[in-house]
RNA sequence: GGGUCAGUAGCUCAGUUGGAUAGAGCACAGGCCUUCUAAGCCUGGGGUCGGGGGUUCGAACCCCUCCUGGCUCACCA
């Protein structure tokens, strides 16, 4: 991704340093900037340029190169206060006075929009996430895609992208042929009015067991699905009933999580749009008949073939996904279409992205297809399966979270107002944060005590530090104007560290969408909260010196804003009290 | 068996694209609330970065190989 930070008004120290080194070395600014690093030991400055990389081409020792560059470097002291040579490194110390002013002004200027930008202007992003199967429980296996997708959606939007969130419901396929078959056989035994999903699940498990015993039942199920595709009235009516009951249940969970979608067009929506996919593939000579099915051969790409038409003539998941790509390209003119789906389907997405290239689409669209893959949530005993009946429902998890938080509140702060409301924000915040704080690729072994931990690097920790900033501001009883702030009062070690962290909020958000990795933001918020905690413990905020007090209150307010904004982007609400 | 992802402290994980003495949290041991919220802060111990080769000024990171685990390899989604 090219540098899109130019429309971002805050001073870009790294950029300036690279510019100056570039002038001296005659190496491109961009290349130099990519070499510049942030020392892990802050005593080595804020930015460092390692000269080792130049040693070979310049035929000199890195230390000598470093000294020579340093001698020629002219950077205004207002920007860089000190330049050191250490080993083969040139270390840059930014001017703290300037940093403090820049950050404070920016945050005062942008208020609640601090960190946002319009870098995504005129770019259309689709994020497909959650996508539960109707007539099945919404279980903890669906949680990660839901919160990851929502987070990416939020951040793309915050950075100015025109973003569309799609819940690609699993509302089609042989499974509905199965449920219809089960309902046909035993429907009168079940009352679907209460706990409809539970009842449908029971039917599903029961028919599945029968299918295992009796191949002809499975065939009947497939036939039902075929009828459904052909708009058979009886099957369609049942399917609509199941879908509506399911959506009603799912929406309860989405409401609790605070998640919304711009579209809930599921697979069924594309059922009558698959013929075009077949036609285009056929026209392009990409369709082959194999064992009665229509396939696209991908052996030249080192992949197994992609089935687009089953031997009984029915469409399949891939066909509908390909139809969706066509539809979305035309409807949304997307620059990126992002699928947040677990790593189970890595190969599958590689296949359909490859087949999509044969659909006569502009390269823009096929290049814009992205699979954001994440490790699945599993139980210690293995994979969850609706068929096996060993699932943990999201609603149960959230209720348990809230109940455990209530216990803690009753113990620590029994007189709290709006206990229930705050417990909800804290409990759900903990669950959401827990789902976002680790690298996506890692699989998760579900553990109640891990998910519902409220100490250390957790959602509640961020919320706690936020509530603390609120409480300080409340006690102070006023908020100073920026023109009253004496920035030199914020130049102690702890304040600087906080401000440096606030400074990199926007670049953190950009890293999240560039790498499709929400954990970068989650960790950033932990870091900011820790930095503020150190500041808080080292410094008296409300104190005798009015100038110092004003400056520290301003800093406190800034931290609160960034924590709240960042948490909101993750999908967490902030409680008022803890 | 092929492909792919992962393996870092007792446990859960970071590690800014190959850089300076590998860092947090939990747990453990100790300290800090008559002073802005102790769901917090500070101090301490704890490492063959899965094993072995290689690439180079330099490797947790790149290449090879082996070990372990997840996922996956045509009519489910």
């Amino acid at each position: 991704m090219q540098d899109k930070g130019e429309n971002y008004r805050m001073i870009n120290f790294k950029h300036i340093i690279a510019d100056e080194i570039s002038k001296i070395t005659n190496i491109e600014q961009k290349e130099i900037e990519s070499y510049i690093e942030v020392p892990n030991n802050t005593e080595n400055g804020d930015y460092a340029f390692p000269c080792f990389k130049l040693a070979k081409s310049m035929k000199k020792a890195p230390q000598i190169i470093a000294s020579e560059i340093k001698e020629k470097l002219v950077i205004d002291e207002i920007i860089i206060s000190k330049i050191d040579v250490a080993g083969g490194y040139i270390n840059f110390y930014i001017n703290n006075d300037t940093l403090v002013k820049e950050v404070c002004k920016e945050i005062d200027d942008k208020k609640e929009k601090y960190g946002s930008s319009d870098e995504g202007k005129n770019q259309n992003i689709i994020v497909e996430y959650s996508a539960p199967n109707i007539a099945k429980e919404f279980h903890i296996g669906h949680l990660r895609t839901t919160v990851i997708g929502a987070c990416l959606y939020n951040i793309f939007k915050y950075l100015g992208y025109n973003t569309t969130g799609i819940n690609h419901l699993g509302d089609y396929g042989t499974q509905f042929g199965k449920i219809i078959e089960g309902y046909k056989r035993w429907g009168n035994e079940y009352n679907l009015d209460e706990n409809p999903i539970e009842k449908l699940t029971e039917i599903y498990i029961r028919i599945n067991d029968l299918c295992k015993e009796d191949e002809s039942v499975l065939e009947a199920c497939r036939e039902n699905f075929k009828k459904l595709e052909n708009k058979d009235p009886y099957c369609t009516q049942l399917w609509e009933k199941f879908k509506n009951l399911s959506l009603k249940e799912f929406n309860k969970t989405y409401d609790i999580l605070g998640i919304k979608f711009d579209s809930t067009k599921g697979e069924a929506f594309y059922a009558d749009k698959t013929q075009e996919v077949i036609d285009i593939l056929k026209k392009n000579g990409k369709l082959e008949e194999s064992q009665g099915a229509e396939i696209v051969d991908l052996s030249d790409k080192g992949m197994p073939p992609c089935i687009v038409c089953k031997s009984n003539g029915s469409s399949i998941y891939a066909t509908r996904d390909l139809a969706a790509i066509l539809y979305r390209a035309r409807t949304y003119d997307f620059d990126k279409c992002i699928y947040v789906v677990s790593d189970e389907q890595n190969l599958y997405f590689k296949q359909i992205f490859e087949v999509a290239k044969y659909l006569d689409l502009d390269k823009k669209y096929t290049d814009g297809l992205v699979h954001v893959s994440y490790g699945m949530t599993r139980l210690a005993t293995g994979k969850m399966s609706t068929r096996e009946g060993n699932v943990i429902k999201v609603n149960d998890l959230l209720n348990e979270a809230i109940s455990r938080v209530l216990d803690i509140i009753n113990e620590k702060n029994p007189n709290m107002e709006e206990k229930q409301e705050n417990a909800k924000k804290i409990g759900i915040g903990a669950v959401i944060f827990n789902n976002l704080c680790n690298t996506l690729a890692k699989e998760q072994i579900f553990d109640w005590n891990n998910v519902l931990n409220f100490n250390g690097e957790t959602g509640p920790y961020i919320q706690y530090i936020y509530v603390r900033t609120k409480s300080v501001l409340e006690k102070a009883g006023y908020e100073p104007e920026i023109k009253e702030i004496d920035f030199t009062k914020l130049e102690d070690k702890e304040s600087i560290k906080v401000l440096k962290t606030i400074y990199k909020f926007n670049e953190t958000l950009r890293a999240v969408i560039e790498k499709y990795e929400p954990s970068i933001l989650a960790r950033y918020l932990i870091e900011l909260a820790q930095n503020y905690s150190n500041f808080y413990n080292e410094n008296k905020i409300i104190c005798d010196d009015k100038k110092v007090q004003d400056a520290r209150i301003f800093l406190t307010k800034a931290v609160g804003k960034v924590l709240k904004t960042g948490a909101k982007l993750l999908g967490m609400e902030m409680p008022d009290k803890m």
Side-chain angles (χ1 to χ4, degrees):
Chain A
M1 200 177 273
Q2 59 189 0
D3 190 349
K4 289 177 179 168
E6 285 168 57
N7 59 357
Y8 197 63
R9 279 173 300 162
M10 259 200 296
I11 190 167
N12 190 333
F13 293 102
K14 196 170 169 183
H15 202 78
I16 294 168
I17 293 167
D19 225 26
E20 293 306 318
I21 296 178
S22 167
K23 283 180 198 163
I24 293 165
T25 55
N26 286 322
I27 297 170
E28 262 200 68
Q29 193 268 356
K30 238 174 132 181
E31 188 181 343
I32 298 287
E33 191 163 343
S34 74
Y35 292 161
I36 292 178
E37 53 195 58
V38 178
N40 38 27
N41 186 344
T42 53
E43 282 173 23
N44 288 325
D46 299 295
Y47 296 96
F49 181 72
C51 297
F52 310 97
K53 297 188 207 293
L54 308 182
K56 215 168 218 172
S57 60
M58 296 177 78
K59 293 187 178 148
K60 281 180 197 169
Q63 292 86 339
I64 294 173
I65 298 171
S67 314
E68 283 179 1
I69 293 176
K70 194 212 149 180
E71 282 310 304
K72 293 181 193 160
L73 267 177
V74 186
I75 302 181
D76 198 324
E77 248 183 65
I78 286 178
I79 293 162
I80 300 295
S81 60
K82 192 170 88 171
I83 303 174
D84 259 355
V85 169
Y89 292 92
I90 310 174
N91 293 329
F92 297 87
Y93 300 76
I94 64 175
N95 185 317
N96 288 337
D97 200 31
T98 303
L99 172 92
V100 174
K101 267 187 219 159
E102 283 281 325
V103 173
C104 290
K105 271 185 193 150
E106 179 73 10
I107 207 156
D108 184 66
D109 234 39
K110 281 203 159 180
K111 307 252 173 343
E112 266 55 47
K113 302 294 286 174
Y114 176 77
S116 69
S117 70
D118 61 355
E119 66 179 79
K121 213 166 70 182
N122 301 326
Q123 287 203 63
N124 302 320
I125 306 290
I126 292 174
V127 185
E128 178 191 304
Y129 56 109
S130 200
N133 294 323
I134 65 170
K136 285 196 195 170
E137 295 290 357
F138 194 86
H139 60 73
I140 55 169
H142 300 116
L143 203 48
R144 264 195 124 184
T145 165
T146 306
V147 296
I148 292 164
C151 175
L152 293 176
Y153 175 86
N154 293 338
I155 295 175
F156 269 108
K157 232 176 179 176
Y158 199 63
L159 296 182
Y161 292 85
N162 179 30
T163 315
T164 306
I166 299 181
N167 192 354
H168 190 71
L169 290 174
D171 56 3
Y172 222 60
T174 309
Q175 52 178 331
F176 294 100
K178 286 184 180 174
I179 297 172
I180 288 168
E181 186 62 26
Y183 189 81
K184 241 193 246 180
R185 287 168 185 249
W186 319 300
N188 52 2
E189 295 174 32
Y190 297 88
N191 175 10
L192 292 186
D193 293 337
E194 45 190 283
N195 299 324
I197 292 187
E198 210 170 277
K199 295 289 183 294
L200 288 172
T201 304
E202 281 175 29
I203 294 174
Y204 183 63
I205 292 171
R206 191 167 161 191
I207 191 73
N208 247 304
D209 289 344
L210 195 59
C211 284
K212 275 182 212 162
E213 289 170 23
D214 189 344
E215 183 71 21
S216 70
V217 177
L218 184 60
E219 207 39 58
C221 295
R222 288 192 181 131
E223 208 44 47
N224 285 337
F225 172 54
K226 187 106 192 275
K227 281 188 192 164
L228 189 58
E229 273 203 305
N230 295 329
K231 308 233 190 283
D232 171 82
Y234 177 74
C235 289
T236 306
Q237 185 203 336
L238 276 184
W239 171 80
E240 261 169 9
K241 177 177 178 165
F242 300 154
K243 179 176 171 173
N244 289 334
L245 287 170
S246 304
L247 261 179
K248 217 170 132 189
E249 289 297 302
F250 294 158
N251 282 334
K252 286 184 196 164
T253 308
Y254 291 136
D255 283 347
I256 296 173
L257 290 170
I259 285 171
K260 286 197 167 59
F261 301 91
D262 299 306
S263 162
T264 48
K265 286 191 174 73
E267 282 187 77
F269 176 77
Y270 302 100
D272 60 1
K273 297 175 178 57
T274 54
Q275 190 55 46
E276 188 185 0
V277 172
I278 308 269
D279 290 345
I280 297 174
L281 291 173
K282 194 174 280 171
K283 184 196 78 185
N284 290 339
K286 294 298 175 186
L287 222 49
E288 288 175 25
E289 198 250 292
S290 172
Q291 298 171 33
E294 302 280 349
I295 65 157
V296 176
D297 181 76
L298 294 171
S299 54
D300 58 326
K301 302 285 192 292
M303 287 187 273
C306 180
I307 294 187
V308 289
C309 187
K310 299 197 280 190
S311 49
N312 71 353
S314 283
S315 73
I316 191 169
Y317 189 49
T319 334
R320 296 185 292 274
D321 260 330
L322 290 165
I325 291 171
L326 278 182
Y327 177 84
R328 289 172 184 176
R330 291 163 184 164
T331 309
Y332 300 103
D333 183 30
F334 64 79
D335 293 274
K336 281 204 171 92
C337 179
I338 298 164
Y339 298 81
V340 183
V341 180
S342 83
D343 59 11
E344 254 182 322
Q345 297 190 31
N346 282 354
L347 175 62
Y348 170 75
F349 278 106
K350 268 169 91 175
Q351 288 177 302
I352 63 160
F353 290 175
E354 207 53 57
V355 175
K357 291 179 186 168
Y358 303 139
L359 291 180
D360 297 338
L361 283 167
D362 193 295
K363 193 165 179 291
K364 167 190 167 183
Y365 302 117
T366 49
D367 283 350
L369 298 168
V370 179
H371 176 209
V372 173
S373 162
Y374 59 88
M376 288 200 301
T377 304
R378 296 186 304 127
L379 302 176
T381 49
K383 198 172 151 183
M384 276 176 294
S385 159
T386 302
R387 284 196 294 270
E388 307 300 326
N390 61 340
V391 300
I392 297 171
K393 299 178 205 170
V394 168
N395 283 338
D396 290 348
L397 172 64
L398 296 179
N399 288 333
E400 177 67 18
I402 294 166
S403 133
R404 289 200 194 185
V405 171
L406 268 176
D407 287 347
I408 296 173
I409 290 174
N410 284 328
E411 180 199 324
K412 297 192 188 237
N413 197 353
N415 300 321
M416 182 194 287
E417 291 170 24
E418 296 183 356
K419 264 188 213 175
Q420 190 67 37
E421 196 51 35
N422 284 329
K424 195 179 143 189
K425 288 174 179 170
I426 298 164
I428 288 163
V431 171
I432 289 176
F433 189 88
N434 182 270
N435 263 274
L436 293 176
C437 66
N438 291 336
T439 310
L440 295 191
K442 299 219 179 193
E443 66 173 274
Q444 291 190 324
I445 307 294
F446 182 83
D447 173 10
W448 286 98
N449 291 327
N450 175 28
V451 179
L452 301 183
N453 174 28
F454 306 127
N455 299 315
E457 296 172 334
T458 63
Y461 174 77
I462 291 165
Q463 292 170 321
Y464 181 79
I465 302 303
Y466 168 77
V467 167
R468 178 179 270 174
T469 67
K470 292 295 278 185
S471 149
V472 170
L473 292 176
E474 198 177 304
K475 174 134 188 175
Y478 74 101
E479 285 170 13
E481 293 290 318
I482 185 146
K483 51 182 187 286
E484 295 165 12
I485 307 296
D486 177 357
F487 298 113
T488 62
K489 301 295 183 194
L490 290 175
E491 294 189 354
D492 61 288
K493 214 173 96 200
E494 286 77 22
S495 302
I496 290 296
K497 211 169 166 193
V498 169
L499 286 158
K500 279 179 182 169
T501 307
I502 292 178
Y503 171 75
K504 61 180 187 183
F505 184 47
N506 173 268
E507 67 183 74
T508 301
L509 297 179
R510 290 200 287 155
V512 172
I513 59 162
E514 195 180 326
K515 296 177 179 167
Y516 307 105
E517 190 58 84
S519 65
I520 295 172
L521 175 57
R523 296 191 171 281
Y524 168 86
L525 294 176
I526 292 286
E527 184 188 338
L528 178 58
Q530 276 171 346
N531 291 165
Y532 182 77
S533 224
N534 292 334
F535 162 83
Y536 175 91
N537 279 286
E538 289 298 321
N539 297 302
K540 205 87 184 97
I541 297 165
I542 296 169
C543 58
D544 299 335
D545 187 332
K546 182 72 167 42
K547 284 276 171 203
V548 172
Q549 178 171 307
D550 281 354
R552 289 180 178 166
I553 288 173
F554 193 88
L555 180 73
T556 298
K557 201 182 165 201
V559 170
K561 264 186 203 166
V562 176
L563 286 178
K564 188 171 185 175
T565 304
K568 181 90 189 155
L569 291 172
L570 282 182
M572 290 166 56
E573 296 287 333
M574 287 301 198
D576 299 321
K577 290 273 189 273
M578 273 182 89

